[in-house]
Amino acid sequence: MISEEEQKKEGKNEKLLADLCECCIMLHVGFQVSPKKVTSVGVHHLLKVVLKKEESEETQEEVERAFLALKNIAMWVKIDKELHLSEIKEIIKYHQKHRNLTHLAYQYAWEFLIHRFYSNESLEIIIVNELHFGKEAARKLEELRKNVDWTRKEDERGKETKEVLVITGWMKTIKSYFDSCKLWNEEYVELIGSVVQIYRTAKDNYEEIRYWCVFSLRNAAGNGFVPVDDLLKSGAVGCVLEDIRKPTLIDEITHHSLTFFENISRRLKEKTYNEMEEAKRKELKRKVLEKIEEEGYEEIIISLHERLNTLKRKYFYGDELSLNISDYSVNI
């Protein structure tokens, strides 16, 4: 049907083409069109939709659906860096000035860009220095946090608001970015602080958001380009300490929490040959040690020792948990 409509010399139904491309992408498991065809035709028609700037409810819904399809195609088809990059930059910059997109559409736009970052690291210069992802994501999380009733009762669980779904989407995007980022500035310290704030607000009633917060912080701790000092200053260390102190632990979240501290411990043990840098490392170790001693961290880790083998076998994310309790400890 897409091919037939495409071949018309005049009178093409652009609305129909966009709808068909959305369906084709969202049901990609069973389609017979090659990824290359979907990329060249589908992305082209969907970008026509997302470039619309009218703020009517109907247009906003169309744009949101088109962005949902775009961010999905970016997950399973490699898209060249330059392909439609200028359009996505224009859309994000226009929204930053005019706030014309829905919460979901804006998050999907960033996800479309972040997924492409995996196949082309040079995109990070644009993401960080030109579009200011760290600052924008922090601003959006704070805006959304204020619009959610965080006192949700037990019998109300499952009745998710759109804001909660958007926060979850942002956390997944942030987790993906922290996994591979190499550029770092003060905006990202603010972003980690926002993740910590979301965690502390959501930890009692929103388990999925809690999970993605801890997962994001675990990825940041494992990334050698994210300074450990920033994880301490932004509250990330204290946040994960809070999580493993909870009386009811969830295995998968506990796995991420332990990996966070395993990463912190490993990085603080890495000696340097520069005297000034080595002095900074020792001072940082002292600060982290003081923080975790305040929270009774050593007793918590020892109490979790029997669960390490179970967690190691149950969850695997490319790096296995150590069974050596000292690998989670920080010593001067």
Side-chain angles (χ1 to χ4, degrees):
M1 291 173 70
I2 292 173
S3 297
E4 288 174 2
E5 195 65 31
E6 272 281 299
Q7 289 169 11
K8 290 181 180 178
K9 296 195 183 263
E10 52 184 51
K12 288 183 185 178
N13 187 333
E14 293 291 343
K15 176 68 168 63
L16 175 62
L17 273 168
D19 289 344
L20 290 171
C21 289
E22 286 173 19
C23 291
C24 188
I25 290 167
M26 299 303 290
L27 300 173
H28 66 272
V29 173
F31 68 43
Q32 298 300 313
V33 183
S34 69
K36 184 176 180 181
K37 181 72 173 177
V38 175
T39 302
S40 60
V41 176
V43 176
H44 171 73
H45 287 292
L46 293 174
L47 277 168
K48 286 185 179 180
V49 177
V50 299
L51 282 165
K52 292 181 180 179
K53 294 182 172 64
E54 301 90 60
E55 296 187 20
S56 68
E57 185 175 345
E58 182 181 358
T59 299
Q60 285 188 325
E61 288 178 355
E62 285 181 21
V63 170
E64 195 175 279
R65 287 196 305 272
F67 261 128
L68 174 61
L70 283 172
K71 70 104 173 177
N72 273 279
I73 199 173
M75 290 176 66
W76 51 271
V77 175
K78 181 178 178 179
I79 301 175
D80 292 338
K81 173 192 170 183
E82 297 302 332
L83 188 61
H84 309 301
L85 179 60
S86 60
E87 290 96 330
I88 296 299
K89 284 165 55 180
E90 177 191 337
I91 290 165
I92 289 176
K93 286 183 174 181
Y94 188 86
H95 174 77
Q96 289 172 350
K97 186 174 182 180
H98 299 282
R99 304 288 187 261
N100 63 305
L101 298 174
T102 65
H103 291 316
L104 275 173
Y106 190 48
Q107 188 260 310
Y108 292 156
W110 274 111
E111 197 166 344
F112 177 63
L113 196 58
I114 297 292
H115 281 308
R116 296 168 68 179
F117 159 65
Y118 280 107
S119 60
N120 197 315
E121 292 181 355
S122 62
L123 270 175
E124 189 173 13
I125 296 172
I126 295 170
I127 290 169
V128 173
N129 296 332
E130 192 172 342
L131 299 177
H132 302 283
F133 173 67
K135 181 179 180 180
E136 279 296 293
R139 179 190 66 78
K140 205 64 183 177
L141 286 176
E142 179 60 18
E143 178 186 341
L144 292 162
R145 187 180 67 83
K146 292 178 179 178
N147 291 328
V148 175
D149 178 9
W150 297 102
T151 60
R152 184 181 62 172
K153 304 298 181 184
E154 183 74 30
D155 59 357
E156 296 173 331
R157 295 184 180 184
K159 300 176 183 178
E160 307 290 2
T161 62
K162 183 170 280 192
E163 286 80 4
V164 170
L165 294 173
V166 182
I167 289 173
T168 304
W170 274 108
M171 295 311 307
K172 292 177 181 179
T173 304
I174 292 166
K175 181 272 299 180
S176 296
Y177 182 75
F178 283 167
D179 188 41
S180 302
C181 66
K182 292 183 179 179
L183 295 179
W184 195 257
N185 59 30
E186 286 300 314
E187 291 182 7
Y188 289 91
V189 182
E190 179 185 354
L191 178 56
I192 290 183
S194 297
V195 172
V196 170
Q197 184 64 40
I198 290 289
Y199 167 85
R200 289 183 172 148
T201 308
K203 65 180 179 180
D204 293 327
N205 291 322
Y206 289 83
E207 186 179 294
E208 185 176 8
I209 292 179
R210 173 188 163 203
Y211 166 83
W212 287 108
C213 287
V214 176
F215 200 167
S216 298
L217 297 177
R218 158 248 167 92
N219 276 8
N223 187 326
F225 292 92
V226 179
V228 174
D229 195 30
D230 286 347
L231 293 171
L232 185 64
K233 287 189 300 185
S234 61
V237 174
C239 172
V240 183
L241 278 168
E242 284 180 35
D243 198 84
I244 62 173
R245 288 178 62 206
K246 288 177 74 69
T248 305
L249 294 176
I250 297 167
D251 281 352
E252 199 164 7
I253 300 178
T254 303
H255 182 282
H256 292 319
S257 298
L258 289 170
T259 305
F260 174 91
F261 283 109
E262 189 177 16
N263 288 332
I264 293 287
S265 175
R266 171 183 51 78
R267 293 178 62 189
L268 289 177
K269 290 173 183 175
E270 295 171 350
K271 294 184 178 181
T272 65
Y273 294 102
N274 181 296
E275 288 187 12
M276 188 175 294
E277 291 300 316
E278 183 63 13
K280 289 181 181 178
R281 182 185 71 88
K282 288 181 178 179
E283 175 62 16
L284 181 56
K285 284 180 71 175
R286 184 188 63 77
K287 290 180 181 178
V288 173
L289 183 61
E290 286 179 356
K291 177 64 179 177
I292 62 181
E293 281 183 340
E294 287 175 13
E295 305 294 336
Y297 170 75
E298 187 174 345
E299 290 79 7
I300 297 168
I301 291 296
I302 292 172
S303 71
L304 291 171
H305 186 245
E306 292 183 2
R307 298 179 65 183
L308 289 177
N309 195 46
T310 301
L311 291 171
K312 179 178 179 178
R313 286 186 283 105
K314 191 173 182 181
Y315 300 107
F316 178 67
Y317 297 93
D319 53 344
E320 295 190 54
L321 283 174
S322 170
L323 297 180
N324 186 351
I325 203 74
S326 65
D327 288 338
Y328 304 92
S329 303
V330 177
N331 300 304
I332 298 296

